[in-house]
């Protein structure tokens, strides 16, 4: 009889440990980005309630910027849907790539589906960096503690800051805007545990802007799907094969 | 105006919430079948990383707002020097952020 309550407490404990990630550098950088978003929403004619609702419903910042951009331009619903959904294709491989680390044999699919809503770039990086240090059966609680709280806190930030900061001085808004990409460059590189991630990092970072010049509508798709596949093939047939060739070669030399 | 407000919430639900969560849900269903260290997971990791970096890199090359008027060499230079400093100091993320943002602010202030 004593083990179930212990289990429950333990999940709360890990949820709380995940919540403490709110004071980490990435979470703080994201919060400054959402202060910027509240100013952007106001400028674009979105009301406070709509901006908060959008933060809870969409969560990913790039998708929200695109949604507001197409809505403000008066595009029909289908066009808004298409623009946002094309820009969000990356969610699928992002979520899929952390699932093997996040789930245990006991995690129910409904819970994983629910938690996936809170995946955006910041929580994805957080999962890659920290999940392996958490006992497997507590990883969903840990991730939920971080990602759900991060979403709620940022919704509050948007609600509170809306209208307070209508416009930053250009120097401040420029620095705030640059924080996010700079942080992603460093943290995604630092969290790479496989050679394929570093190759895909370089390919994506160069192909993204290059493809934008070729075809701005589908640039991310080309750079991501095409570039990612190329990075995988290069890693598998050049990098890892070279690594494998080194090992048998040295063991062959031993008998000689 | 109330009709207009109601319509915007519908747009947010359909073109915002559904348009993004469809992919997240598919990610769960696909990821549930992937074994750790399988070849398929390597491919999925590569595509996810390339997609995220393409989005991120475009923010530096084609920024919106005030940075849109700043020179490209300043943004790339600030990021490049910051990233080099990050690699040289044992990959500490804070080094990249502090060096890049300081250089950007200095550049914006003096140009």
């Amino acid at each position: 009889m004593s083990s179930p309550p212990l289990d429950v407490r333990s999940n709360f404990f890990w949820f709380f440990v995940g919540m403490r990630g709110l004071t980490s550098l990435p979470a703080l950088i994201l919060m400054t980005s959402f202060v910027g978003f509240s100013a952007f929403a106001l400028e674009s004619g979105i009301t406070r309630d709509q901006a908060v609702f959008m933060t809870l419903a969409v969560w990913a910042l790039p998708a929200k910027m695109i949604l507001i951009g197409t809505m403000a331009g008066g595009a029909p619903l289908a066009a808004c849907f298409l623009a946002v959904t094309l820009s969000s294709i990356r969610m699928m491989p992002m979520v899929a790539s952390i699932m093997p680390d996040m789930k245990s044999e006991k995690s129910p699919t409904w819970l994983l589906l629910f938690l996936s809503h809170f995946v955006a770039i910041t929580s994805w990086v957080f999962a890659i960096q920290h999940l392996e240090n958490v006992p497997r059966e507590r990883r969903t609680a840990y991730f939920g503690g971080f990602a759900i709280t991060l979403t709620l806190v940022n919704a509050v930030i948007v609600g509170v800051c809306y209208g307070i900061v209508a416009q930053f001085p250009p120097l401040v808004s420029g620095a705030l805007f640059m924080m996010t990409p700079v942080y992603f460059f460093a943290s995604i590189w630092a969290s790479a545990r496989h050679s394929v991630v570093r190759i895909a990092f370089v390919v994506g970072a160069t192909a993204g802007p290059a493809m934008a010049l070729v075809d701005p509508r589908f640039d991310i798709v080309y750079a991501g799907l095409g570039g990612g596949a190329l990075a995988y093939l290069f890693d598998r047939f050049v990098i890892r094969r070279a690594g494998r060739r080194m090992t048998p070669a040295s063991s062959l030399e031993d008998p000689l | 105006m109330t009709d207009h407000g109601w319509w915007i919430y519908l747009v947010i639900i359909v073109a915002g919430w559904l348009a993004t969560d469809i992919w997240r849900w598919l990610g769960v269903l696909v990821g549930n079948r992937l074994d750790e260290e399988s070849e398929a997971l390597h491919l999925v990791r590569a595509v996810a990383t390339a997609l995220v970096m393409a989005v991120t890199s475009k923010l530096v090359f084609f920024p919106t707002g005030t940075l849109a008027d700043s020179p490209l060499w300043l943004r790339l230079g600030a990021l490049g020097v910051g990233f080099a400093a990050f690699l040289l100091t044992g990959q500490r993320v804070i080094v990249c952020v502090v060096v890049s943002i300081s250089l950007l602010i200095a550049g914006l202030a003096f140009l």
Side-chain angles (χ1 to χ4, degrees), chain A residues 25 29 46-47 49-50 53-54 57-60 62-63 65 67 71 77 80-81 84-86 88-97 99-101 103 109 112-113 116-121 124 129 136 139 170-171 173-175 177-190 194 196-197 200-201 204-206 208-209 212-213 216 219-221 223-225 227-229 231-232 235-236 240, chain B residues 1 4-68 74-80 82-83 86-87 90-101 104-110:
Chain A
L25 180 70
I29 289 177
I46 302 291
T47 69
D49 292 349
Q50 288 160 357
F53 180 70
M54 201 181 275
V58 181
W59 180 221
M65 310 289 267
L67 178 61
M71 269 167 60
L77 179 59
C80 294
F81 179 88
V84 174
T85 211
L86 279 177
S88 304
I89 293 174
R90 67 185 159 78
M91 295 292 183
M92 187 172 93
M94 281 168 70
V95 171
S97 65
M99 270 306 126
D101 267 340
K103 65 172 180 163
T109 303
L112 297 174
L113 289 172
S116 77
H117 175 73
F118 303 95
V119 173
I121 301 180
W124 179 70
Q129 286 176 332
R136 184 165 278 280
R139 288 178 185 177
L171 204 63
S173 65
F177 184 93
M178 192 72 172
M179 284 275 222
T180 310
V182 165
Y183 167 72
F184 287 150
F185 263 87
S187 60
I188 292 171
W189 185 269
H194 300 83
V196 69
V197 173
F201 177 105
T206 46
L213 297 174
D219 51 354
I220 301 296
V221 178
L225 296 184
Y232 166 76
D235 179 66
R236 177 168 184 181
R240 278 190 281 153
Chain B
M1 199 58 207
H4 187 60
W6 169 87
W7 171 250
I8 286 183
Y9 281 99
L10 188 74
V11 174
I12 295 173
I13 289 173
V14 175
W17 176 56
L18 279 179
T20 51
D21 267 5
I22 282 173
W23 297 110
R24 291 182 174 113
W25 295 333
L26 274 173
V28 172
L29 301 179
V30 170
N32 253 338
R33 292 152 196 261
L34 292 177
D35 286 332
E36 275 181 294
E37 301 314 316
S38 67
E39 279 305 320
L41 184 57
H42 276 287
L43 176 61
V44 168
R45 277 197 189 110
V47 171
T49 307
L51 280 165
V52 170
M53 288 316 298
V55 172
T56 305
S57 182
K58 271 185 69 188
L59 290 176
V60 180
F61 277 83
F62 312 107
T64 52
T66 41
L67 273 190
L74 174 63
R75 280 173 268 132
L76 281 187
L79 174 64
F83 196 76
F86 151 85
L87 290 177
Q91 301 195 7
R92 297 189 36 210
V93 175
I94 186 79
V95 172
C96 187
V97 173
V98 170
V99 172
S100 298
I101 299 301
L104 180 81
I105 290 177
L108 289 176
F110 287 110

Side-chain angles (χ1 to χ4, degrees), chain A residues 85-170:
Chain A
T85 211
L86 279 177
S87 75
S88 304
I89 293 174
R90 67 185 159 78
M91 295 292 183
M92 187 172 93
M94 281 168 70
V95 171
S97 65
I98 58 170
M99 270 306 126
D101 267 340
M102 189 147 86
K103 65 172 180 163
S104 70
E105 282 162 19
K106 280 185 244 160
S107 12
T109 303
W110 67 262
L111 179 64
L112 297 174
L113 289 172
F114 171 71
L115 286 176
S116 77
H117 175 73
F118 303 95
V119 173
I121 301 180
T122 305
S123 50
W124 179 70
V125 174
F126 184 86
I128 294 172
Q129 286 176 332
H130 299 292
L131 278 183
E132 60 176 352
N133 305 322
V134 176
R136 184 165 278 280
E137 61 278 19
R138 301 291 173 231
R139 288 178 185 177
T140 46
Y142 178 76
F143 179 79
F146 176 72
I148 296 173
T149 325
L150 187 64
T151 308
L152 294 176
V153 165
N154 279 300
V156 171
I157 287 177
V158 170
V160 171
C161 293
Y162 183 91
I164 292 183
V165 268
Q167 200 124 41
F168 287 107

